[in-house]
Amino acid sequence: MGLHDHCCVPNCNSRRDDGMMRAFHGFPEKGENVKRKKEWLIATKRDEGPHFRVTKETVVCSEHFLDSDYSGAIPPRTAEERAAADGRRHTCRLKEGVTPHYSDAEKEKLLKTRPSPRVRSAVPPPKKKPKPVSPEQAEIDRLRAALQQKITEVEGLQKRCGSLEAEVKQLRGNAFSYASLRAQSGAGGQGKQTSLFEFYTGMSAAEFDALYQFLDVSEENIISPLQAPDPSARARGGGRPSSLSLQDQLVLVLMRLRLGLLERDLAHRFDISESTVSRTFCKWINYVYLVLGALPIWPSWERVAATMPQAFKETYPSTYIIIDATEIQVEIPASLSSQSQNYSDYKSHTTHKALIGIAPNGCITFMSELFTGSISDRSLVEKCGILKQLQSVPPGKSVMADRGFEIQDLLVRTYHILNIPPFRGGSGVLQEKDVIATQQIARVRIHVERVIGQVKRTYRILQGAVPLSLEGSINQIWTVCCLLTNFKGPIINE
């Protein structure tokens, strides 16, 4: 039995030899309208593919056409019609343009049982047996895979290096420097950010620029003679140049004086080594000490009298200088003899002691070198050199001090007067005039204590215990801090 003896419609079991006398019609041929052929495929729920192809033998039975679809004879539908035909088949022709269709029962049956064309055509291809691989080819494949893995790893490392370089660049950009602090000070150094520069250095950006210009620093003269006594060493610049600019180096030094930062902290902030911080600080503190220490801060009497506040003119017009002693705590040395010499009964700690003097207007006009903490106030005056300085002051001018400075006999040699609060007499009680004198002296002598407080508040390296590692530079540190305080101007505004 050929293919043309069966109806091609899915779920239709019509055959020519089943005795039902149905008519069978072929698909429109290629020469006819191609559109009609597509309509027949859609109507019969078929699609051409690997498992179905429309040929001359592909037919559709009359069960899928209506009586009105025929022109002339109509295929028998019922048993009576087939009996009347008595086995004789009539030629049944379809009208032009008709297409097959389903009955409602056939449509419902088809929807339940027939898969969609997409599912029907999704036939997995047959599995191909792998070809045998030679050992040489297997080794090549293995090496190729290993090479690709290494290439992937290298690309990942390159990306990581790029991100790390960007991070390092950003961190270096965030490092402390004169430029970064200056930029944050705003245009012209005004605004709230100005205090940031002053917080780190102890002075405004304008004061810093003035100091840097006054120091007239260069790579050649920054090497202190105390560190490079050999002229050829100074000419060579003292070795490898620093990675910091000269302004950045000065910022580093001022930050250590101002905030008392440790070398490790500064090394992290400026992205340099601790040894570089130590060398930079030592050479700069010596250089600034030499330059600022050469300034003539000891004024003439005429200058003192011209700038004397009204409070002094009314009570103590002959006052040339107000002196007081101050102590700076240092780390306890290992040597017992050094501990004994530096121990201060007043501070109950090892200290260094210095004498400081100010003019009546509050400017620092004298600061001695540091002595051991056990030295007395009288011995401090004798050894610090102020008596020699007073020889240039006209006779009859007075020195104001605290009650502990019993140095009247020392000032007699220079023909000067000592103003100190009076002592209690034998009765242990001050007379009324002595109380008034004590109050008057205290009212104006307090300014020297304010200046000492200003020095230590501004430069916190003098607060707490100065480490022994700075013992060789502590005199320079003390002197520079006092001289830089004068940059802030006098504390008395009269």
Tab-separated table of all heavy atoms in Angstrom, residues 177-185 192-209 251 254-255 258:
chain	number	residue	atom	x	y	z
A	177	SER	N	51.831	67.792	52.704
A	177	SER	CA	52.797	68.610	51.984
A	177	SER	C	52.393	70.066	52.122
A	177	SER	O	51.264	70.383	52.494
A	177	SER	CB	52.882	68.215	50.505
A	177	SER	OG	51.663	68.517	49.846
A	178	TYR	N	53.343	70.935	51.805
A	178	TYR	CA	53.030	72.360	51.823
A	178	TYR	C	51.935	72.680	50.817
A	178	TYR	O	51.009	73.441	51.112
A	178	TYR	CB	54.305	73.157	51.503
A	178	TYR	CG	54.037	74.613	51.191
A	178	TYR	CD1	53.824	75.525	52.213
A	178	TYR	CD2	53.999	75.061	49.877
A	178	TYR	CE1	53.568	76.858	51.929
A	178	TYR	CE2	53.752	76.387	49.585
A	178	TYR	CZ	53.537	77.285	50.616
A	178	TYR	OH	53.279	78.600	50.339
A	179	ALA	N	52.023	72.071	49.621
A	179	ALA	CA	51.049	72.372	48.571
A	179	ALA	C	49.645	71.949	48.980
A	179	ALA	O	48.673	72.682	48.755
A	179	ALA	CB	51.458	71.686	47.272
A	180	SER	N	49.514	70.736	49.568
A	180	SER	CA	48.181	70.260	49.939
A	180	SER	C	47.574	71.116	51.046
A	180	SER	O	46.395	71.469	50.989
A	180	SER	CB	48.246	68.800	50.379
A	180	SER	OG	49.048	68.651	51.533
A	181	LEU	N	48.384	71.471	52.047
A	181	LEU	CA	47.865	72.320	53.123
A	181	LEU	C	47.557	73.732	52.616
A	181	LEU	O	46.563	74.339	53.009
A	181	LEU	CB	48.880	72.394	54.263
A	181	LEU	CG	49.068	71.123	55.096
A	181	LEU	CD1	50.141	71.344	56.156
A	181	LEU	CD2	47.772	70.693	55.750
A	182	ARG	N	48.415	74.210	51.724
A	182	ARG	CA	48.195	75.561	51.175
A	182	ARG	C	46.920	75.588	50.325
A	182	ARG	O	46.154	76.553	50.374
A	182	ARG	CB	49.397	75.963	50.312
A	182	ARG	CG	49.453	77.458	49.988
A	182	ARG	CD	49.867	78.234	51.234
A	182	ARG	NE	50.249	79.605	50.911
A	182	ARG	CZ	49.407	80.631	50.826
A	182	ARG	NH1	48.114	80.430	50.992
A	182	ARG	NH2	49.838	81.837	50.576
A	183	ALA	N	46.693	74.512	49.564
A	183	ALA	CA	45.503	74.457	48.716
A	183	ALA	C	44.236	74.440	49.545
A	183	ALA	O	43.211	75.017	49.164
A	183	ALA	CB	45.557	73.222	47.819
A	184	GLN	N	44.294	73.783	50.698
A	184	GLN	CA	43.113	73.706	51.556
A	184	GLN	C	42.878	74.989	52.326
A	184	GLN	O	41.855	75.128	52.995
A	184	GLN	CB	43.257	72.536	52.526
A	184	GLN	CG	43.271	71.183	51.845
A	184	GLN	CD	43.432	70.051	52.834
A	184	GLN	OE1	42.512	69.706	53.563
A	184	GLN	NE2	44.607	69.468	52.867
A	185	SER	N	43.836	75.915	52.255
A	185	SER	CA	43.675	77.186	52.962
A	185	SER	C	42.808	78.157	52.190
A	185	SER	O	42.499	79.229	52.679
A	185	SER	CB	45.051	77.820	53.216
A	185	SER	OG	45.809	76.984	54.060
A	192	LYS	N	37.725	79.330	56.696
A	192	LYS	CA	37.844	78.460	57.870
A	192	LYS	C	38.974	77.456	57.729
A	192	LYS	O	39.493	76.970	58.728
A	192	LYS	CB	36.522	77.733	58.105
A	192	LYS	CG	36.135	76.784	56.970
A	192	LYS	CD	34.832	76.082	57.286
A	192	LYS	CE	34.453	75.102	56.187
A	192	LYS	NZ	33.180	74.417	56.488
A	193	GLN	N	39.376	77.128	56.463
A	193	GLN	CA	40.440	76.172	56.281
A	193	GLN	C	41.802	76.745	56.665
A	193	GLN	O	42.769	76.010	56.768
A	193	GLN	CB	40.470	75.687	54.827
A	193	GLN	CG	39.266	74.843	54.413
A	193	GLN	CD	39.247	73.505	55.110
A	193	GLN	OE1	40.227	73.117	55.753
A	193	GLN	NE2	38.137	72.811	55.039
A	194	THR	N	41.905	78.054	56.834
A	194	THR	CA	43.175	78.652	57.225
A	194	THR	C	43.654	78.067	58.541
A	194	THR	O	44.840	77.863	58.751
A	194	THR	CB	43.030	80.180	57.349
A	194	THR	OG1	42.503	80.681	56.120
A	194	THR	CG2	44.365	80.820	57.643
A	195	SER	N	42.755	77.771	59.450
A	195	SER	CA	43.134	77.223	60.747
A	195	SER	C	43.756	75.849	60.619
A	195	SER	O	44.483	75.418	61.506
A	195	SER	CB	41.903	77.148	61.654
A	195	SER	OG	40.914	76.300	61.093
A	196	LEU	N	43.504	75.123	59.507
A	196	LEU	CA	44.108	73.816	59.312
A	196	LEU	C	45.614	73.951	59.149
A	196	LEU	O	46.379	73.194	59.756
A	196	LEU	CB	43.495	73.135	58.078
A	196	LEU	CG	43.952	71.703	57.808
A	196	LEU	CD1	43.499	70.785	58.936
A	196	LEU	CD2	43.387	71.203	56.485
A	197	PHE	N	46.072	74.901	58.359
A	197	PHE	CA	47.510	75.145	58.200
A	197	PHE	C	48.123	75.555	59.535
A	197	PHE	O	49.190	75.080	59.917
A	197	PHE	CB	47.725	76.237	57.152
A	197	PHE	CG	49.128	76.291	56.610
A	197	PHE	CD1	49.417	75.774	55.368
A	197	PHE	CD2	50.154	76.869	57.344
A	197	PHE	CE1	50.704	75.821	54.860
A	197	PHE	CE2	51.444	76.917	56.857
A	197	PHE	CZ	51.723	76.389	55.610
A	198	GLU	N	47.434	76.414	60.251
A	198	GLU	CA	47.950	76.878	61.539
A	198	GLU	C	47.932	75.772	62.572
A	198	GLU	O	48.805	75.712	63.443
A	198	GLU	CB	47.132	78.077	62.019
A	198	GLU	CG	47.705	78.745	63.248
A	198	GLU	CD	47.064	80.086	63.525
A	198	GLU	OE1	46.190	80.505	62.729
A	198	GLU	OE2	47.421	80.715	64.534
A	199	PHE	N	46.945	74.874	62.484
A	199	PHE	CA	46.883	73.759	63.432
A	199	PHE	C	48.109	72.864	63.308
A	199	PHE	O	48.676	72.421	64.301
A	199	PHE	CB	45.614	72.940	63.186
A	199	PHE	CG	45.562	71.655	63.959
A	199	PHE	CD1	45.216	71.646	65.300
A	199	PHE	CD2	45.872	70.442	63.356
A	199	PHE	CE1	45.173	70.461	66.026
A	199	PHE	CE2	45.826	69.254	64.063
A	199	PHE	CZ	45.476	69.265	65.405
A	200	TYR	N	48.539	72.590	62.081
A	200	TYR	CA	49.649	71.668	61.872
A	200	TYR	C	51.014	72.336	62.036
A	200	TYR	O	51.974	71.659	62.412
A	200	TYR	CB	49.562	71.039	60.475
A	200	TYR	CG	48.536	69.945	60.380
A	200	TYR	CD1	47.388	70.111	59.624
A	200	TYR	CD2	48.701	68.741	61.057
A	200	TYR	CE1	46.430	69.105	59.540
A	200	TYR	CE2	47.759	67.739	60.976
A	200	TYR	CZ	46.629	67.919	60.217
A	200	TYR	OH	45.688	66.934	60.142
A	201	THR	N	51.134	73.618	61.756
A	201	THR	CA	52.444	74.265	61.768
A	201	THR	C	52.610	75.309	62.866
A	201	THR	O	53.742	75.728	63.134
A	201	THR	CB	52.710	74.947	60.413
A	201	THR	OG1	51.745	75.988	60.218
A	201	THR	CG2	52.603	73.940	59.272
A	202	GLY	N	51.535	75.742	63.482
A	202	GLY	CA	51.640	76.767	64.515
A	202	GLY	C	51.632	78.172	63.974
A	202	GLY	O	51.790	79.128	64.744
A	203	MET	N	51.479	78.328	62.660
A	203	MET	CA	51.446	79.660	62.066
A	203	MET	C	50.575	79.621	60.823
A	203	MET	O	50.313	78.548	60.265
A	203	MET	CB	52.857	80.138	61.715
A	203	MET	CG	53.612	79.241	60.760
A	203	MET	SD	55.311	79.812	60.457
A	203	MET	CE	56.014	79.659	62.096
A	204	SER	N	50.115	80.782	60.408
A	204	SER	CA	49.291	80.868	59.211
A	204	SER	C	50.142	80.650	57.965
A	204	SER	O	51.378	80.665	58.020
A	204	SER	CB	48.592	82.219	59.142
A	204	SER	OG	49.547	83.245	58.963
A	205	ALA	N	49.474	80.472	56.843
A	205	ALA	CA	50.202	80.270	55.590
A	205	ALA	C	51.039	81.491	55.236
A	205	ALA	O	52.171	81.372	54.736
A	205	ALA	CB	49.216	79.952	54.465
A	206	ALA	N	50.515	82.675	55.501
A	206	ALA	CA	51.269	83.893	55.216
A	206	ALA	C	52.507	83.994	56.110
A	206	ALA	O	53.595	84.389	55.653
A	206	ALA	CB	50.366	85.111	55.396
A	207	GLU	N	52.372	83.658	57.390
A	207	GLU	CA	53.517	83.672	58.296
A	207	GLU	C	54.554	82.630	57.890
A	207	GLU	O	55.766	82.870	57.984
A	207	GLU	CB	53.044	83.431	59.727
A	207	GLU	CG	52.219	84.573	60.304
A	207	GLU	CD	51.563	84.207	61.622
A	207	GLU	OE1	51.439	83.003	61.915
A	207	GLU	OE2	51.148	85.133	62.350
A	208	PHE	N	54.084	81.469	57.422
A	208	PHE	CA	55.000	80.426	56.952
A	208	PHE	C	55.802	80.931	55.760
A	208	PHE	O	57.022	80.741	55.686
A	208	PHE	CB	54.222	79.168	56.582
A	208	PHE	CG	55.069	78.063	56.024
A	208	PHE	CD1	55.590	77.092	56.856
A	208	PHE	CD2	55.349	77.992	54.667
A	208	PHE	CE1	56.386	76.074	56.349
A	208	PHE	CE2	56.136	76.984	54.151
A	208	PHE	CZ	56.654	76.017	54.993
A	209	ASP	N	55.121	81.553	54.802
A	209	ASP	CA	55.816	82.071	53.617
A	209	ASP	C	56.852	83.116	54.004
A	209	ASP	O	57.958	83.151	53.433
A	209	ASP	CB	54.804	82.662	52.637
A	209	ASP	CG	53.881	81.605	52.046
A	209	ASP	OD1	54.257	80.411	52.079
A	209	ASP	OD2	52.784	81.973	51.565
A	251	VAL	N	57.683	72.186	56.631
A	251	VAL	CA	56.380	71.804	57.179
A	251	VAL	C	56.533	70.628	58.124
A	251	VAL	O	55.938	70.595	59.208
A	251	VAL	CB	55.393	71.466	56.033
A	251	VAL	CG1	54.141	70.807	56.586
A	251	VAL	CG2	55.016	72.726	55.273
A	254	LEU	N	58.053	71.868	61.446
A	254	LEU	CA	57.086	72.632	62.234
A	254	LEU	C	55.984	71.743	62.791
A	254	LEU	O	55.496	71.978	63.907
A	254	LEU	CB	56.477	73.738	61.368
A	254	LEU	CG	57.443	74.853	60.945
A	254	LEU	CD1	56.737	75.850	60.042
A	254	LEU	CD2	58.022	75.557	62.170
A	255	MET	N	55.591	70.710	62.032
A	255	MET	CA	54.572	69.787	62.533
A	255	MET	C	55.085	69.023	63.749
A	255	MET	O	54.334	68.771	64.698
A	255	MET	CB	54.154	68.813	61.435
A	255	MET	CG	53.242	69.419	60.378
A	255	MET	SD	52.792	68.251	59.071
A	255	MET	CE	51.916	66.996	60.033
A	258	ARG	N	55.118	71.564	66.571
A	258	ARG	CA	53.766	71.991	66.923
A	258	ARG	C	52.982	70.894	67.622
A	258	ARG	O	52.327	71.133	68.637
A	258	ARG	CB	53.042	72.417	65.635
A	258	ARG	CG	51.554	72.656	65.806
A	258	ARG	CD	51.273	73.988	66.444
A	258	ARG	NE	49.867	74.279	66.424
A	258	ARG	CZ	49.080	74.302	67.489
A	258	ARG	NH1	49.580	74.050	68.682
A	258	ARG	NH2	47.799	74.610	67.393
